[in-house]
Amino acid sequence: MLNRKEILETINMVEKEHFDVRTITMGISLLPCIRDDAKLTAKLCYDRICKKAENIVKVAEDLGSEYGIPIINKRVSITPASLLTSSFCGKEIVLAKALDDAAKMVGIDFLGGYSALVHKGMTSFEKSFIESIPEALAITDRMCSSVNVGSSKAGINMDAVALMGKIIKQTAELTKDRDGFGCAKLVVFCNAVEDNPFMAGAFHGVGEGETVINVGVSGPGVVCNALKSMKGASIDEIAETIKKTAFKITRAGQLIAKEASKRLNAEFGIVDLSLAPTPVMGDSVAHILEEIGLGQVGAHGTTATLAMLNDAVKKGGVMASSNVGGLSGAFIPVSEDIGMINAAKNGAITLSKLEAMTSVCSVGIDMVAVPGDTPASTLSGMIADEAAIGMINNKTTAVRVIPVPNKGVGEQVEFGGLLGSAPIMAVNQNSCEAFINRGGRMPAPIHSNKN
């Protein structure tokens, strides 16, 4: 339990440093709902979500009031939906509508898991499912989608990589009235994890229990504030302070997670300690890096600084809880971080620099707006590059990129809320189409052969 001193510290973090529980996510297995008929499967999924998650919003609100810690999002993740639709190819949209309706009925912010895992191969029913994603995201409001195209053990499915570039383009086109907003609900992974509570990539893995509570905590402002009094301190002293701060944040998150699990009659899964920023001033991962000593994020030294931050966050979290999981580290989404937004506007951050940073942080090229006329093959090239970083380094990487229809470099796109805004960034104009069109599977690295 938290002692009096920890409680007072937590109150200060909430009131002055933007500390919050970013999400309580209930993972629900929908495997019992599988039927041959699309409408029946959809109905059973709807009913099961509504029953299991009927109290998640109320419990989150009660806990927020009782402990004085804001709980920002209430979410549900489900069994990867491609496993549910194998017997009714071409009718996947029926399930998508039911999932979105269920999310609205229980009052959650997002539902994740309209997902497919095709890192080694892709069946005909999985291809059909992936091809349904653009329409599914265009006609739904709260449903999110993800596709895993590679892993350190299997290599990279280049056929899936090529397909996902086209899917992103189609999704942008079908939601062009909202500046391609559908793409903000779609992420392409390498080494996707089964207990991630953060959207858009959350899904409930087949290795998970029937109903599980995973909590994502976030505190960039807390970490940044802790460093303000450390002018002149050495890097190892900075790392130690970050580690101790992450410990406090994780302890508070675990308290909420365990209590939520009891009240919702679900297993306690994990606490994901990810420094997830918002567009609000004082809640920026970029500003942490600048507090450590960068003139602006993107300067030489940025990747090294981010590596130290990410490592210290993980070490502090593991000290605080034996159930740390998900992604746990530092997120660098461009549109959701005021410091990243400013750096992109100033040209301090480019796609190439972002790619380098993703080799040491928690996710990848995230919430990046690019010109609407970017070729599908170029989007696939970005996915391939990120997947390669994840595969070789045995870490999760991802791409959530938005080709904004009818807009070009330097223009601004507004998504609102936690998704923020972003300047449209320049893309390398040299083609990689011939490479992407080769298809096949990129072999796994030699160090994957561990058995």
Side-chain angles (χ1 to χ4, degrees):
M1 293 294 292
L2 295 174
N3 60 37
R4 179 178 175 81
K5 181 181 178 183
E6 288 176 319
I7 290 171
L8 292 174
E9 287 177 340
T10 301
I11 292 171
N12 185 65
M13 289 191 295
V14 169
E15 292 183 346
K16 299 179 181 179
E17 301 166 2
H18 301 283
F19 172 64
D20 58 53
V21 170
R22 187 57 51 86
T23 177
I24 287 181
T25 301
M26 174 180 281
I28 303 174
S29 173
L30 297 184
L31 293 176
C33 303
I34 298 174
R35 300 293 188 275
D36 290 338
D37 179 74
K39 290 184 178 179
L40 180 55
T41 300
K43 181 182 183 304
L44 292 172
C45 289
Y46 174 90
D47 291 344
R48 187 170 175 84
I49 293 168
C50 290
K51 181 179 179 180
K52 294 285 187 181
E54 62 179 341
N55 294 319
I56 187 172
V57 173
K58 182 180 185 305
V59 166
E61 290 174 349
D62 289 347
L63 289 172
S65 297
E66 291 172 26
Y67 289 98
I69 300 175
I71 299 174
I72 307 301
N73 284 301
K74 303 86 182 174
R75 300 165 172 169
V76 165
S77 62
I78 63 164
T79 305
S82 67
L83 301 178
L84 311 176
T85 63
S86 61
S87 61
F88 47 88
C89 291
K91 299 180 180 179
E92 295 90 352
I93 296 302
V94 175
L95 177 62
K97 290 178 179 177
L99 295 175
D100 199 54
D101 288 343
K104 292 173 180 176
M105 176 57 68
V106 297
I108 56 174
D109 300 284
F110 290 107
L111 182 147
Y114 198 77
S115 307
L117 311 179
V118 292
H119 39 281
K120 191 172 184 181
M122 183 164 48
T123 64
S124 58
F125 70 81
E126 286 167 329
K127 187 172 187 290
S128 173
F129 175 86
I130 291 172
E131 290 172 343
S132 77
I133 289 174
E135 183 182 355
L137 293 178
I139 66 171
T140 59
D141 298 313
R142 305 188 189 188
M143 192 186 73
C144 295
S145 180
S146 61
V147 177
N148 192 61
V149 299
S151 74
S152 295
K153 191 68 177 176
I156 302 172
N157 183 345
M158 293 301 294
D159 292 323
V161 168
L163 177 59
M164 287 312 300
K166 298 173 184 176
I167 293 299
I168 291 170
K169 286 283 285 186
Q170 292 170 18
T171 303
E173 183 62 26
L174 288 179
T175 55
K176 63 182 178 182
D177 59 324
R178 290 167 283 166
D179 285 332
F181 177 73
C183 296
K185 300 188 293 173
L186 172 61
V187 59
V188 186
F189 277 117
C190 177
N191 288 323
V193 296
E194 296 186 327
D195 56 6
N196 167 26
F198 285 99
M199 299 298 169
F203 63 87
H204 186 67
V206 295
E208 298 288 310
E210 187 170 345
T211 311
V212 178
I213 294 296
N214 297 319
V215 165
V217 296
S218 182
V222 181
V223 174
C224 192
N225 190 69
L227 300 181
K228 289 186 182 298
S229 61
M230 300 194 69
K231 306 296 183 185
S234 66
I235 286 297
D236 52 310
E237 291 172 326
I238 293 288
E240 188 67 18
T241 297
I242 294 170
K243 188 171 69 173
K244 290 178 180 178
T245 305
F247 177 89
K248 296 175 185 177
I249 295 170
T250 307
R251 292 285 284 175
Q254 178 167 281
L255 177 67
I256 295 292
K258 285 191 170 182
E259 190 59 36
S261 301
K262 290 178 185 177
R263 299 187 189 188
L264 291 167
N265 193 31
E267 296 178 34
F268 166 40
I270 56 94
V271 177
D272 184 322
L273 177 64
S274 288
L275 298 182
T278 69
V280 176
M281 186 63 70
D283 201 26
S284 164
V285 170
H287 288 166
I288 297 174
L289 305 182
E290 291 167 7
E291 187 64 40
I292 294 171
L294 303 177
Q296 186 166 35
V297 66
H300 293 296
T302 296
T303 304
T305 310
L306 181 59
M308 183 271 294
L309 171 64
N310 209 59
D311 180 66
V313 166
K314 289 178 184 290
K315 287 174 178 174
V318 170
M319 287 171 62
S321 172
S322 58
N323 291 83
V324 169
L327 299 169
S328 289
F331 288 1
I332 52 169
V334 172
S335 77
E336 299 174 11
D337 185 315
I338 187 65
M340 295 293 289
I341 293 169
N342 291 335
K345 285 180 179 178
N346 296 339
I349 281 286
T350 63
L351 276 170
S352 294
K353 186 59 179 178
L354 276 174
E355 183 180 309
M357 294 168 70
T358 63
S359 66
V360 298
C361 78
S362 284
V363 194
I365 301 293
D366 194 18
M367 287 303 294
V368 172
V370 298
D373 61 0
T374 303
S377 58
T378 298
L379 300 175
S380 294
M382 295 179 192
I383 295 168
D385 284 341
E386 281 301 309
I389 290 172
M391 176 184 72
I392 294 296
N393 292 295
N394 198 31
K395 68 183 295 294
T396 303
T397 50
V399 171
R400 185 164 50 147
V401 63
I402 302 104
V404 184
N406 305 316
K407 289 191 175 181
V409 175
E411 294 186 74
Q412 188 85 2
V413 60
E414 299 283 343
F415 295 117
L418 290 176
L419 296 177
S421 63
I424 297 177
M425 300 176 70
V427 173
N428 192 308
Q429 296 300 304
N430 292 293
S431 175
C432 63
E433 186 173 7
F435 163 60
I436 295 300
N437 286 345
R438 288 182 181 274
R441 178 157 63 96
M442 188 177 294
I446 185 63
H447 58 69
S448 69
N449 194 13
K450 294 180 179 179
N451 286 340

